Amino acid sequence: MTEAGEQEGAGSPVRTEADLGSAPRVEPRGAPRRAAAVAAAVLGALLVVVVAAVTPWHPLSGGRAAADPALDFTREQIARNERFSAAMDGPAYAGLAAGLVVVLVLGLTPWGARLLGRVVRRPSPSDTRPAPWRWGLRLIAVALVLSALTQLVALPFGAWSESVLRRYGLSTQGWGSWFGDRLTGFGVSLVIWIVALLGLHLLIRRFPRHWWAGAAVGGFLLVTAVSYAYPVVVEPLFNSFTSMPAGPLRTDLLRMARADGVPVSDVLVADASKRTTELNAYVSGFGSTRRIVVYDTLLASQSPKEVELVVAHELGHAKRNDVLTGTLVGGLGVATGACVLYLVMTSPRLLRRAGVRSAADPRSTALLLAAVTVLAQAAAPAQNLVSRHIEARADVHSLELTRDPATFAAMQRSLSLRNLDDLSPSPFAYALWNTHPSGPERIAMGRAWARLHHVAVPPPSVRP
Ligand SMILES: [Zn+2]
């Protein structure tokens, strides 16, 4: 039995703050922490090299594309989209700040351990060596409390942004179904948290000094498994998917995919209209779970040529295996993060702040949650930066496939207007939220592509 296993397995029957003071010191120091730090540095460097190598930094070689919203949007349209973005800023920033404050307070003060102590401390005379199921139940209880708490904190801000979406006619959902979505999301994140926590604590018990290595490999595998299973396990919880009905559009789309050399056996339509009026399409999964999905809102409102352009963009993602690459890069990011987490969870200073003695204590999960949240938030701008370049490459692909920059520009314009996208986001908002280039940037790239390929350049849609 390992050191931490002893400590956790022996599990003093009533774990009060005072008991914990006399618990054996188990947090690894010295060599194991140095090994984890080296692993974090090596994986981090590998991550940077891989991201630099796989990101299409110049999706349109030789093309220049300066965005100008005034070319294609009237002053009123620009102002309306700006009003909507400003209204969404409130819940977005306040929700982000509230979520961070709550997890940081729980993780970096003894409050989190105290709160979790209420659910994991079960005074019982027979509890001198908790059975594995009891140990598992404690971790499940911890996951439940922390997931519920973070959901509850996010709830009012989610309701606030939903009310803005309604005011602007973007949401078609009732509050009952909105709440149902939240509950489903909570269930999904809870399952992921439970799997991750049980796995992590198995490793901590088994390898108290070197669990970072197992956590890095396990994190990588978990990301890969979730990304693979997501389209068949999670997406159906939120939407129904049907094959696009037989007809000229379906035939054209499958023909285009074949001509593009992308094996696509079906195009799925999601019943997005039960929730939103927004237009969208996406590719998810990889290997046997890969699918191209278009929103029913897109089919209902756009011309076949415009739908074809959207699907051509998605084929660009499929052809380049963007989901698989993103999954592997994400897995590498999580593996790097696992080594950093080990350093956090074995830091005597941070453990002391969190009011626990060791990562093996289930109550240390509050510190873990704080670290995971901060790492994920810190990575978001870099993820968005890479995502925007990948999206631009898919746009270029759709132009190459259709050679129709006029429809491309019209499509981007109607996407921006329907979805009320911010047409000239501030650099801060752009870095924090934009996974795609802005509408005017995409249209500008369409024009640049046309100039490069000597195809008629789409004229401005708005006369000055
Ligand atoms: Zn895309």
Side-chain angles (χ1 to χ4, degrees), residues 281-283 313-314 317 390-391 394-395 436 442:
Y282 63 87
V283 186
H313 169 104
E314 304 308 332
H317 287 309
I390 289 170
E391 294 300 336
D395 276 348
H436 289 62
R442 300 175 83 171

Side-chain angles (χ1 to χ4, degrees), residues 7 12 32 50 54 87 116 139 186 196 209 228 247 258 267-269 275 285 296 304 317 336 349 369 382 389 406 423:
Q7 197 227 8
S12 39
V50 169
V54 301
L116 295 178
L139 288 171
F186 164 67
R209 298 161 70 78
Y228 181 79
R258 234 183 353 263
V267 175
L268 297 177
V269 182
R275 216 171 266 125
D296 57 354
H317 287 309
T336 311
R349 209 160 61 93
L369 175 66
H389 285 89
L423 299 170

